[in-house]
Amino acid sequence: EQPYSPLRQINAKTVGKLGLGWSIDLAPGNTTSVPLEVGGKLFFVTGFGLVHAVDAATGRKLWEYDARVYAAKDQQRVGEAWGPRGIAWWNDKIYLGTMDGRLIAIDAKTGKEVWSRQTLTKGDFNYITGAPRVFDGKVIIGFGGADVNFTRGYVSTYDAETGKLLWRWYTVPGDPAKGF
């Protein structure tokens, strides 16, 4: 997420030699995230929560995981924004935040769900579109929704292995910041 790269293989002398190595067709719909490359595999999310894994050298599909956000009971959240803007990787897992408020861990080798947690309070109008951040065994996720409704705004931290809520920081108008 910086405009700088230390790589030197592509420069003014070599850029003319570049060509298409492979391509894949994606279904029409919502945005496609920036891909993550880990161990020769590319991971990215399209639509409202369709995670793809492809071989980085060939473009061969390895697996897809469908978060089934279109089947969410709370469709109010799903219609408010564009879908996930990114995913995260840590310890052989892909992490996805969904419009219906779930944080999901997916096995990066198989595409199978490891755990899923509802992170939002029933009845609020928040949703998740931002990419989770992962470090030191913790997944941090924020929320959207202030553009369509009053929201108290909070950021939550979960255990990356189990999905257990570790900490939540939130604000309430007129009160100082709180955490638990």
Side-chain angles (χ1 to χ4, degrees):
E1 297 182 343
Q2 301 176 36
Y4 171 78
S5 172
L7 302 176
R8 301 284 185 243
Q9 294 92 342
I10 300 172
N11 56 47
K13 293 179 182 176
T14 62
V15 71
K17 298 176 184 177
L18 294 177
L20 179 64
W22 57 265
S23 68
I24 57 175
D25 290 324
L26 300 173
N30 291 352
T31 59
T32 301
S33 70
V34 173
L36 299 175
E37 187 279 330
V38 180
K41 298 175 186 172
L42 292 178
F43 303 95
F44 58 95
V45 60
T46 61
F48 283 122
L50 184 60
V51 180
H52 305 262
V54 299
D55 181 279
T58 66
R60 180 178 58 89
K61 180 171 86 170
L62 302 172
W63 55 257
E64 287 182 349
Y65 171 84
D66 188 351
R68 299 183 44 83
V69 174
Y70 50 83
K73 293 176 184 171
D74 188 353
Q75 288 295 311
Q76 170 70 30
R77 289 183 174 139
V78 176
E80 297 295 344
W82 291 93
R85 293 185 179 112
I87 53 178
W89 180 92
W90 186 79
N91 200 26
D92 290 326
K93 287 178 219 43
I94 300 296
Y95 297 90
L96 168 70
T98 64
M99 294 288 297
D100 60 344
R102 289 175 290 147
L103 179 61
I104 302 170
I106 305 161
D107 185 298
K109 293 177 184 171
T110 66
K112 304 293 182 198
E113 185 177 294
V114 176
W115 54 258
S116 176
R117 299 293 178 264
Q118 178 51 255
T119 65
L120 302 177
T121 304
K122 185 177 180 177
D124 70 22
F125 291 98
N126 296 334
Y127 49 82
I128 300 174
T129 58
R133 301 294 190 215
V134 185
F135 67 96
D136 196 25
K138 297 169 187 69
V139 185
I140 299 173
I141 192 73
F143 305 89
D147 50 340
V148 295
N149 198 10
F150 169 78
T151 184
R152 67 184 205 176
Y154 52 94
V155 176
S156 300
T157 303
Y158 296 83
D159 181 278
E161 293 297 327
T162 66
K164 178 184 176 189
L165 176 65
L166 299 175
W167 187 80
R168 180 170 282 158
W169 179 87
Y170 62 94
T171 59
V172 176
D175 288 343
K178 301 183 183 220
F180 69 87

